[in-house]
Amino acid sequence: MVEPKYKRILIKLSGEALAGEKGVGIDIQTVQKMAEEIKEVHDLGVQIALVIGGGNLWRGEPAAEAGMDRVQADYTGMLGTVMNALVMADSLQQVGVDTRVQTAIAMQQVAEPYIRGRALRHLEKGRIVIFGAGIGSPYFSTDTTAALRSAEIEADAILMAKNGVDGVYNADPKKDKTAVKFDELTHRDVISKGLRIMDSTASTLSMDNDIDLVVFNMNEPGNIKRVVIGEQIGTTVSNNL
Ligand code: UDP
């Protein structure tokens, strides 16, 4: 059996990861495939927490730009992340992985409230924990949620699973053929070069709390496992190279 590089990870999936070809909404088969991949990593004995975005259903900022109150729009977005969390939890349960959803906004009939100690206990018992409803506050993102929760549960790294992008480039590889991929970067580089891996709040939080990130393409089957067993794919972002 391969020895995983990380013992406890937090996987950040964008909401789009659940949408499949359609790009919006939730495609059950896509979620099931993702759950199987996550199970493979879980089978290595790695403790796994998940943060799933909500962009496949709703994003607060564009709704606010279209005239909606920003706070209401963001709460709507947070509820979207809970829908994604519930669907993923169901798929994980169906492939045989015990999973709990914890939400930052209390909804006791639907999920547990976020309680750090309880989340840690679930992880230690081999359960996957999905953190829903972001951090529970408007004006934040699920990238920031990933950085915050990762610090709280002392994860070894955040695995930033990207949709069709295999790492961090010095320019947009979809628009610029000469764009070069970085294997490694510091958080400071990411911030000073204005590289848009995550929003700036999430980047500074990761830098200040010394959180390592691995940015990789989730559309390639098996990639989550590759990162976990220490294969050099994607881009690693940390404070020290
Ligand atoms: N959101 C929020 N606070 C949080 C996390 C999320 O207000 O702590 C809202 C925000 O409106 C955001 C939406 O939820 O646009 C969906 O999250 P995000 O955009 O991070 O999802 P992703 O792009 O990762 O799919």
Side-chain angles (χ1 to χ4, degrees), residues 51 58-61 69-82 102-107 114 131-146 148-149 152 199 201 205:
V51 169
W58 185 269
R59 278 206 176 88
E61 209 175 340
D69 173 66
R70 173 70 193 258
V71 174
Q72 283 292 77
D74 278 344
Y75 277 121
T76 310
M78 286 182 253
L79 294 181
T81 71
V82 179
Q102 291 199 339
T103 55
I105 296 171
M107 42 183 95
Y114 171 62
F131 297 120
I135 65 164
S137 297
Y139 297 101
F140 287 93
S141 68
T142 53
D143 285 350
T144 301
T145 309
L148 178 65
R149 294 290 183 250
E152 288 179 274
D199 56 87
T201 312
L205 196 61

Side-chain angles (χ1 to χ4, degrees), residues 214-232:
V214 186
V215 183
F216 65 100
N217 184 6
M218 62 168 195
N219 294 356
E220 186 96 23
N223 263 358
I224 303 179
K225 189 168 173 181
R226 284 189 192 102
V227 173
V228 167
I229 63 176
E231 270 184 42
Q232 172 56 56

Side-chain angles (χ1 to χ4, degrees), residues 123-218:
L123 292 170
E124 282 155 9
K125 285 190 158 187
R127 297 177 187 137
I128 290 185
V129 184
I130 308 180
F131 297 120
I135 65 164
S137 297
Y139 297 101
F140 287 93
S141 68
T142 53
D143 285 350
T144 301
T145 309
L148 178 65
R149 294 290 183 250
S150 170
E152 288 179 274
I153 64 166
E154 296 175 23
D156 300 326
I158 302 178
L159 272 59
M160 293 279 290
K162 294 282 183 187
N163 212 353
V165 187
D166 64 352
V168 184
Y169 285 77
N170 62 351
D172 183 348
K174 286 177 186 157
K175 292 183 191 146
D176 183 348
K177 292 254 176 301
T178 64
V180 180
K181 191 179 119 209
F182 298 102
D183 288 336
E184 288 183 316
L185 277 170
T186 61
H187 290 298
R188 192 164 292 287
D189 283 339
V190 168
I191 295 163
S192 67
K193 292 186 203 305
L195 301 169
R196 291 166 62 88
I197 302 171
M198 38 176 26
D199 56 87
S200 56
T201 312
S203 271
T204 47
L205 196 61
S206 302
M207 181 173 78
D208 293 348
N209 295 291
D210 209 8
I211 298 165
D212 291 358
L213 304 179
V214 186
V215 183
F216 65 100
N217 184 6
M218 62 168 195

